Amino acid sequence: MKSAEIASRWLRYFAERGHTVVPSASLIADDPTLLLVNAGMVPFKPYFLGEVRPPFTRAASIQKCVRTTDIEEVGRTTRHGSFFQMCGNFSFGDYFKETVIPLAWELLTTPVTDGGYGLDADRLWVTVYLDDDETADIWQSKVGVPAERIQRLGMEDNFWSMGVPGPCGPCSEINYDRGPDFGVAGGPAVNGERYLEIWNLVFMQYIRGEGSSKKDYPILGDLPSKNIDTGLGLERLAAILQGVDNLYEIDTSRTILDRASELTGTRYGADHRSDVSLRVVADHVRTSVMLIGDGVLPGNEGRGYVLRRMMRRAIRNIRLLGAHDATMREMVAATVDAMGTQYPELVTDLARIDSVATAEEASFLQTLRTGTSIFDVAATETKKAGGGVLAGERAFQLHDTYGFPIDLTLEMAAEQGLAVDEEGFRRLMGEQRQRAKADARAKKTGHVDTSAYREVLDVAGPSAFTGYDSTAEEARVRGLLVDGVPAHEAGEGDDVEIVLDRTPFYAEGGGQLADAGVIRLGSGTEIEIFDVQKPLPGLIVHRGRVRSGGVVVGADAEARIDLARRGAISRSHSATHLTHQALRDALGPTAAQAGSENSPGRFRFDFSSAGAVPTSVLADVEETINQVLIEDLDVQAEVMNADDARRTGAIAMFGEKYGDRVRVVSIGDYSRELCGGTHVRRSGELGLVKLLGESSVGAGVRRVEALVGLDAYRYLAREAVLVSQITDVLKAPRADVPERLSQVLARLREVEKELEKLRAAEVLAVAGDLARAAEDVGGTALVAHQAPDDTSADDLRRLVLDIRGRIPADRPAVVAVAAAVGGRPVLVVGTSGPARERGIKAGDLVRVAAKILGGGGGGKDDLAQGGGSNPAAIADALAAVGRSVAQRAAAA
Ligand code: SER
């Protein structure tokens, strides 16, 4: 049974049993505690927690997931994949244990011909949580699983949570016995490789607190209702149903693996080491494609780093298998082939995915070339010094200077039998991070500890944003933090974070900067607000300082935003949409948004593009945008279903889920985008948009920066003044300015050349006299001359050669000329052939003189140059050259 068929049977089975089919959410988790979606239940977390009322009580999905904690295991075991699809069915306060258990059993054991998966019931084993007798009883008496195939395991295995505070509960796992080829008997409690876990049924009913391990956290209480969250590993079931030994050999992965094997000329199954590499490649390339497909771009932090690491490991392994050129284009195509049936958006988005992947590959191959030679030197030195450990500093240098990831250094060191001082490396990294942190203003809360905010959210409840329509609001203070700690009151001078029940303040997000403004309480309290953030979904935090009076939770307040700032930001945001559309029209749909920042009067827009955007295209884009302004199009925001939005052709951003209500902002018929930001009412309000230019901000990503409204006007006005000043100075009409300026510059270059000639002639004028006045030092003609200050080094050389040429060629001759150039002494020495035959060399003489000048120098035997720091010593230095010549002449 193909993967796509497993998926469709799943959805059909649950749809027929009253479940709403929900398409996979984006891998980019809409959850500050998570980098990437790693379980089917993630998009539903707010339903479990009771934060949001679910639109249905039963749901089923096939959710894309990425887990990278076991990345080292990938390719080595048969069951670890970094990307996988979790088939799930969910009940939100609807059915519970006694329903879900038989439901799962039926689907697994119903014959294939009747729509099930047709697993042999005798091969299924189940596990339950230690004291969960109720579940064990359902398995035994309701389903008929024999007692000896029901095992009890502890918290680590049979109690599930997301690893962070949130929903949790005991679980029961269904395992499939793959037979004696996979090891000893004894059930899943004994052998996880043989008794493969395929389906986890979680009885989601509690809330957990902080804790560091899988079994060490407090249960804080009950969820608002008893729920079901199940997850079946699609790839694992596919391996069983397709009769293959591991995840990498199922239909989808095998297509990718085979392509890697073709490209590298490595036969799968030939030897263990290359098999592992092939499996790593198949797994990592697929994960990378799925991540890029959902809008992740390679970077050095967060998800960007997960992607970069995946790609780098894949590329490294491809190289280990013998391919040294770029292969990503073919590998991406094979992946889209394999996954396109289930995810048709990959097919439409192929060009963009390809451009991101190949650009990252190109830059990494370059890094590899440089880094590998640096690494080799370091490894050889380490071994030569008799050490087995590569210094942490070296690993850090490779990382910091050459962009060599530490995991790669570790791998390459291991290949050479070396260890790496990882602790040293991490210490240096830590120090660097400290420095970086000190630089950046700690503006946003890191996503690490949100517990204080959660505490406030629990008490205050979610805040309503009313700022699309209103700019001032009567509200109530629902929560307060002082110095990051929940507080009941605050006084004058305190830096506070305030939560209101409703607010017109826009929190920074979606590329739009936060509103600023003021919150006033009765009795003269005034709090100036300069930042607004959303540290948790639903929680809007106003950051500011109490200017006068005091504030206490529960007080009535008036929140008023700074209108000028909001207006300017909204204009920028609307302009960003126009730019996005105009770029797509000019460059094609691959010019997808990769980030943006909308600030007052100015915005920047990042988008994918394989190369630079030509100036002429940029000029066209700018004109198109301004044309739209003149048309004064109506701007509308409409809230609708994610699916309806897709149908209207709205530019889909990433992260929206099926069933989600999304906001679509349209500017006439020209642009339509999913967007939560604030906008103008008509495009004419923008007045003017001026693109300032385009640049690169990383592999495959370009940035346009622009000004809007009065800021654009002022910029152009300044440019106009500048041109006027130039025409005044040049005394030329505007249209002639470029021509006139080139003429002036050309004339200037000519004059400079002439001047140069004259100066050289002047310098050389003395050459004849100097040559004639050469002193005889033990049979060698010596000229030692101090030239006027600021004779250039070029002229000094020319003078030396000229003088030397005037002395008869068969005479040993030494010419030394020095001058103070820009306050520093410069000395040039030339020797003739016969002098050199006597062992008198220019380089030696310069070294002697340079020591006296307080510097150094050198050169060849016939001509050398030196310098120093002390121009007052020039006469001494020249005298020293004379003495040195005398000594050498005597010795010859
Ligand atoms: N959330 C559970 C898991 O990830 C079941 O879906 O295993």
Side-chain angles (χ1 to χ4, degrees), residues 350-633:
L350 174 61
R352 186 186 65 82
I353 299 173
D354 172 84
S355 109
V356 173
T358 50
E360 177 68 7
E361 178 184 40
S363 91
F364 185 54
L365 288 179
Q366 185 52 45
T367 300
L368 269 181
R369 276 189 284 274
T370 328
T372 305
S373 37
I374 309 279
F375 173 86
D376 287 343
V377 172
T380 316
E381 273 173 12
T382 308
K383 283 185 192 164
K384 234 196 230 148
V389 184
L390 194 76
E393 268 156 54
R394 284 313 201 108
F396 178 72
Q397 181 201 21
L398 274 162
H399 176 276
D400 197 43
T401 317
Y402 305 100
F404 227 54
I406 180 67
D407 36 299
L408 199 54
T409 304
L410 289 172
E411 249 177 69
M412 288 175 58
E415 278 160 23
Q416 301 234 10
L418 291 173
V420 177
D421 172 15
E422 266 190 86
E423 202 178 303
F425 169 81
R426 298 209 188 280
R427 185 170 37 78
L428 291 166
M429 284 296 286
E431 286 169 11
Q432 190 195 43
R433 224 170 278 135
Q434 265 341 99
R435 284 193 297 274
K437 247 197 215 153
D439 288 350
R441 270 187 309 125
K443 190 172 174 214
K444 286 187 204 170
T445 18
H447 279 165
V448 216
D449 184 12
T450 52
S451 50
Y453 292 114
R454 188 157 290 288
E455 216 174 289
V456 171
L457 180 61
D458 286 346
V459 178
S463 352
F465 172 63
T466 61
Y468 292 131
D469 310 306
S470 78
T471 54
E473 198 68 59
E474 300 295 331
R476 172 156 296 166
V477 178
R478 299 303 285 272
L480 195 62
L481 291 101
V482 180
D483 294 329
V485 180
H488 183 65
E489 55 188 6
E492 198 166 306
D494 282 346
D495 285 323
V496 291
E497 296 174 87
I498 286 198
V499 177
L500 303 176
D501 58 344
R502 47 203 283 116
T503 177
F505 279 81
Y506 183 84
E508 179 174 345
Q512 178 172 334
L513 293 195
D515 279 329
V518 62
I519 295 177
R520 290 195 180 86
L521 274 58
S523 68
T525 296
E526 189 168 304
I527 306 153
E528 189 188 339
I529 301 301
F530 26 77
D531 187 21
V532 187
Q533 296 288 336
K534 224 182 202 176
L536 290 174
L539 185 70
I540 300 174
V541 173
H542 306 76
R543 300 197 170 143
R545 174 165 292 177
V546 185
R547 290 289 173 213
S548 59
V551 50
V552 43
V553 174
D556 287 334
E558 189 212 29
R560 186 176 288 279
I561 64 169
D562 174 342
L563 279 179
R565 178 180 165 89
R566 160 67 80 80
I569 292 178
S570 298
R571 284 193 289 276
S572 292
H573 202 153
S574 301
T576 298
H577 283 209
L578 296 178
T579 308
H580 189 185
Q581 187 59 48
L583 280 167
R584 286 171 87 105
D585 288 345
L587 304 172
T590 51
Q593 174 158 3
S596 65
E597 185 176 285
N598 301 299
S599 3
R602 160 185 283 274
F603 69 89
R604 59 165 204 251
F605 179 73
D606 298 346
F607 57 101
S608 330
S609 167
V613 181
T615 319
S616 60
V617 173
L618 221 50
D620 287 348
V621 165
E622 184 179 86
E623 183 161 336
T624 310
I625 297 168
N626 283 287
Q627 185 61 41
V628 174
L629 307 194
I630 292 170
E631 286 164 21
D632 197 22
L633 301 178

Side-chain angles (χ1 to χ4, degrees), residues 38-41 67 86 160 200 202 229-231:
N38 60 1
M41 54 72 69
R67 284 186 193 174
M86 194 176 275
W160 199 88
N200 186 12
V202 184
D229 152 36
T230 90

Side-chain angles (χ1 to χ4, degrees), residues 38-53:
N38 60 1
M41 54 72 69
V42 171
F44 304 119
K45 183 173 149 190
Y47 303 159
F48 288 125
L49 290 172
E51 287 171 358
V52 178
R53 240 178 75 96

